[in-house]
Amino acid sequence: MKKYIILFIIFYPITLLSQQSLEELVSFAIQSYNEGNLELAIEYFNKAILIYEEEYGKEDAEDYAYLKNILGFLYHTNGNYDKAEPLYKEALEMRRRLFKGDHPDLAT
């Protein structure tokens, strides 16, 4: 399961390539996770979300839902379920508002 999630993170198309610092933070987070430094990966994803919110706001967006979901995954992996669950729920609700019908991001 862990390798599947990492492949998903690496190949997920982030459309915010113009925001270099955001892309770098996500890359650093992935690298930190792959090296086994979960705490640093969480820190980088938290920073990436703050940058995203400053630049684009908190409106529904696929990239914003992605960042929230992955941060939830990192907290979950770290055993911090109280922080993971709201992030998972927020990302799912955002995707439900963004994608209607049988979209793969809403598959159960």
Side-chain angles (χ1 to χ4, degrees):
M1 182 71 166
K2 181 176 175 181
K3 290 182 181 180
Y4 174 78
I5 297 296
I6 294 306
L7 289 176
F8 175 75
I9 293 171
I10 291 171
F11 293 110
Y12 185 84
I14 295 180
T15 58
L16 304 171
L17 299 181
S18 63
Q19 180 64 267
Q20 187 66 28
S21 60
L22 181 59
E23 181 185 348
E24 288 175 350
L25 285 170
V26 171
S27 293
F28 292 150
I30 293 167
Q31 180 179 352
S32 297
Y33 178 83
N34 287 335
E35 292 173 354
N37 193 339
L38 195 53
E39 291 296 326
L40 189 56
I42 289 170
E43 183 180 329
Y44 282 132
F45 260 99
N46 272 313
K47 288 180 182 178
I49 288 173
L50 288 175
I51 288 172
Y52 183 95
E53 291 173 349
E54 289 173 7
E55 191 69 26
Y56 301 100
K58 295 182 179 182
E59 293 81 30
D60 292 348
E62 187 175 357
D63 289 327
Y64 191 42
Y66 161 75
L67 291 171
K68 293 275 188 170
N69 191 67
I70 298 303
L71 182 57
F73 164 78
L74 293 173
Y75 278 127
H76 182 144
T77 303
N78 202 29
N80 196 335
Y81 307 116
D82 291 339
K83 288 188 177 183
E85 184 178 13
L87 290 164
Y88 281 143
K89 286 180 177 180
E90 189 176 349
L92 178 60
E93 289 304 316
M94 196 178 304
R95 286 185 172 125
R96 284 182 176 152
R97 290 188 297 269
L98 288 167
F99 308 116
K100 308 290 186 225
D102 293 335
H103 194 278
D105 279 1
L106 301 176
T108 56

